[in-house]
């Protein structure tokens, strides 16, 4: 059975370093036959979560669309930028809305439960978003996801890519692809164990 992975970067910036590292990690998953559902958050604008707006207008259609893709997915791959030592508001907001009721009225949290998740990050700073990873990983585990041990933080990202947008250092590329490969590997093992 082929594995479906939802890939999502917490940045809408056109030249996002995190989108780039996400794409490299996702290519490792695709190479093993996984189907990658590429969610670009710029295509899914939604208001900041607040309970009053949820009460009057319900879950926004764009969050429901991401929930639909989560329902199709066996695992999740996340690239998390770092803002002031934390992960980005757009990532948290998306996760918060997706954790709410689905179109069918079932809890959104069931869309995350027991699915493997991997995290990568990139930043122009030396630590590559490592602090943001700590915060987002706590949230992902709270959502019921199974965090895999493999991850990667790309520091000094502003000088890591060539003009074509590919990584200059092939060893770094290998390490990022390995995160996607590991995610597929664990997901397949879990499926084999449960069928
Ligand atoms: C509000 C703000 C705070 C930031 N704080 C950090 C930080 O704490 N650590 C860091 O490494 N980079 C920080 N940065 C720089 C981001 O890593 C950089 O903008 C990066 O390009 C964002 O990811 P992206 O390229 O995927 O959009 C910050 C940027 C912004 C806008």
């Amino acid at each position: 059975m082929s594995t479906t992975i939802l890939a999502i970067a917490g940045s809408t910036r056109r030249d996002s370093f995190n989108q780039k590292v996400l794409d490299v990690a996702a290519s490792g998953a695709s190479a093993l036959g996984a189907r990658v559902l590429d969610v670009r958050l710029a295509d899914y604008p939604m208001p900041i979560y607040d309970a009053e707006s949820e009460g009057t207008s319900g879950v926004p259609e764009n969050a429901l669309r991401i929930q639909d893709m989560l329902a199709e997915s066996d695992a999740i791959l996340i690239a998390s930028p770092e803002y002031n030592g934390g992960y980005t508001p757009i990532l948290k907001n998306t996760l918060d809305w997706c954790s709410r009721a689905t179109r069918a009225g079932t809890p959104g949290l069931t869309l995350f439960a027991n699915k493997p998740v991997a995290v990568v990050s990139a930043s122009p700073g030396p630590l590559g978003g490592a602090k943001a990873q700590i915060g987002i990983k706590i949230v992902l585990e709270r959502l019921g996801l199974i965090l895999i041990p493999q991850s990667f933080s790309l520091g000094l990202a502003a000088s890591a890519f060539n003009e074509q947008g590919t990584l200059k250092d092939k060893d770094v590329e290998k390490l990022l692809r390995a995160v996607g490969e590991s995610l597929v590997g664990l997901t397949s093992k879990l499926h084999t164990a449960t069928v």
Side-chain angles (χ1 to χ4, degrees):
M1 194 201 91
S2 162
T3 299
T4 299
I5 291 182
L6 186 95
I8 184 163
S11 172
T12 54
R13 201 170 70 81
R14 203 175 312 125
D15 239 358
S16 164
F17 300 127
N18 285 278
Q19 186 63 54
K20 287 180 186 163
V21 295
L22 182 77
D23 292 344
V24 177
S27 71
S30 312
L32 291 184
R35 180 169 74 117
V36 176
L37 304 179
D38 186 18
V39 176
R40 306 271 170 149
L41 289 181
D43 298 332
Y44 298 87
M46 60 188 82
I48 295 282
Y49 176 84
D50 88 88
E52 287 297 328
S53 131
E54 182 186 28
T56 51
S57 312
V59 176
E61 176 59 25
N62 279 339
L64 295 172
R65 288 170 65 207
I66 297 176
Q67 283 184 336
D68 292 341
M69 287 186 279
L70 276 167
E72 272 188 64
S73 303
D74 306 300
I76 303 174
L77 178 59
I78 287 184
S80 176
E82 183 169 303
Y83 284 179
N84 296 315
Y87 52 88
T88 51
I90 195 168
L91 196 48
K92 183 64 159 60
N93 192 46
T94 304
L95 294 170
D96 286 343
W97 273 121
C98 287
S99 73
R100 306 301 291 166
T102 66
R103 292 182 199 279
T106 53
L109 280 173
T110 58
L111 302 170
F112 297 97
N114 299 321
K115 290 181 182 174
V117 62
V119 181
V120 294
S121 61
S123 129
L127 300 182
K131 283 187 192 161
Q133 284 209 21
I134 295 169
I136 191 69
K137 285 175 177 175
I138 291 170
V139 172
L140 297 173
E141 289 195 316
R142 174 68 184 83
L143 287 168
L145 292 156
I146 302 167
L147 187 63
I148 73 163
Q150 292 81 6
S151 66
F152 191 81
S153 307
L154 176 68
L156 309 179
S159 56
F161 296 91
N162 57 34
E163 276 174 18
Q164 292 74 44
T166 56
L167 281 159
K168 291 178 187 167
D169 187 332
K170 294 300 156 201
D171 288 335
V172 167
E173 187 178 313
K174 224 186 260 179
L175 289 166
L176 272 167
R177 284 172 63 91
V179 175
E181 290 161 6
S182 300
L183 185 61
V184 174
L186 178 70
T187 309
S188 310
K189 275 189 192 143
L190 280 176
H191 278 175
T192 311
T194 50
V195 288

